[in-house]
């Protein structure tokens, strides 16, 4: 990976910025890295040189046992043991959500599109507590997936996720029947707190 201009280098951590061809990249990878490191109170340094490539250096603050224990107590309320079905057509984002949520104790199932999600939900809806559902996907959008999931289980819980939510889709988020919404790229605290809020609804 090599960044050939200062203009490009200053934008590499922007969500959805990419130098790849259309359909070859989402521009979310480095944005996710930046978000995770920033929330850990660290920073990322980038060094690039023509003909030699690019190096990323991540620096994180040192912690002692007391701080670690305090942090664990603070975040324990956001953890859980429920099973969540993560539905996203972007493989990187699916696995990122899986890794994040499993670190908080959740059991994760994954689907790459709407039809696959509904197949999984049809057979396992009794053990799936919530769908983390991308709103904009090929084949079948998040709204349609949710409507069909409700036909399977009228008590289905869902948290929609989207980097850009078109106005017509945002109307769905505002409806009382929709449980929650998180912005992509994921902010760890926002994601876990929204999931916990929806899961704890009676």
């Amino acid at each position: 990976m090599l960044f050939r201009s200062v203009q490009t280098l200053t934008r590499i951590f922007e969500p959805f910025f990419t130098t790849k061809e259309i359909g070859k990249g989402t521009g979310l990878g480095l944005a996710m890295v930046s978000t995770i490191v920033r929330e850990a109170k660290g920073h990322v340094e980038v060094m690039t040189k023509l003909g030699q490539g690019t190096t990323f250096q991540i620096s994180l603050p040192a912690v002692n046992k007391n701080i670690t224990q305090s942090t664990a107590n603070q975040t324990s309320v956001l953890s859980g043991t429920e099973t969540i079905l993560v539905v996203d057509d972007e493989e990187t984002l699916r696995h990122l959500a899986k890794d994040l949520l499993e670190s908080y104790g959740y059991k994760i199932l994954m689907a790459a599109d709407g039809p696959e999600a509904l197949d999984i939900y049809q057979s396992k809806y009794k053990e799936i507590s919530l769908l983390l559902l991308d709103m904009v996907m090929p084949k079948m959008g998040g709204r349609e997936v949710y409507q069909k999931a409700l036909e399977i289980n009228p008590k289905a819980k869902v948290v929609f996720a989207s980097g850009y939510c078109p106005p017509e889709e945002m109307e769905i988020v505002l409806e009382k029947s929709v449980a929650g919404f998180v912005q992509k790229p994921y902010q760890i605290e926002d994601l876990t707190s929204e999931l916990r809020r929806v899961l704890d609804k009676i």
Side-chain angles (χ1 to χ4, degrees), residues 151-168:
E151 294 175 5
I152 299 171
N153 175 20
K155 295 183 179 180
K157 293 185 177 182
V158 63
V159 170
F160 281 118
S162 181
Y164 167 71
C165 190
E168 62 273 15

Side-chain angles (χ1 to χ4, degrees), residues 39-99:
E39 291 189 354
K41 302 188 184 304
H43 66 275
V44 183
E45 294 182 5
V46 186
M47 294 159 283
T48 185
K49 191 171 182 179
L50 186 63
Q52 295 185 17
T54 300
T55 300
F56 291 85
Q57 180 173 310
I58 297 175
S59 299
L60 299 171
V63 297
N64 58 41
K65 291 184 178 180
N66 290 333
I67 293 176
T68 301
Q69 182 64 40
S70 174
T71 301
N73 290 339
Q74 182 180 9
T75 58
S76 63
V77 297
L78 303 178
S79 63
T81 58
E82 293 92 342
T83 297
I84 296 174
L85 175 57
V86 175
V87 188
D88 199 308
D89 61 303
E90 291 290 344
E91 182 177 4
T92 301
L93 298 184
R94 281 199 311 276
H95 286 277
L96 175 65
K98 177 179 184 293
D99 293 343

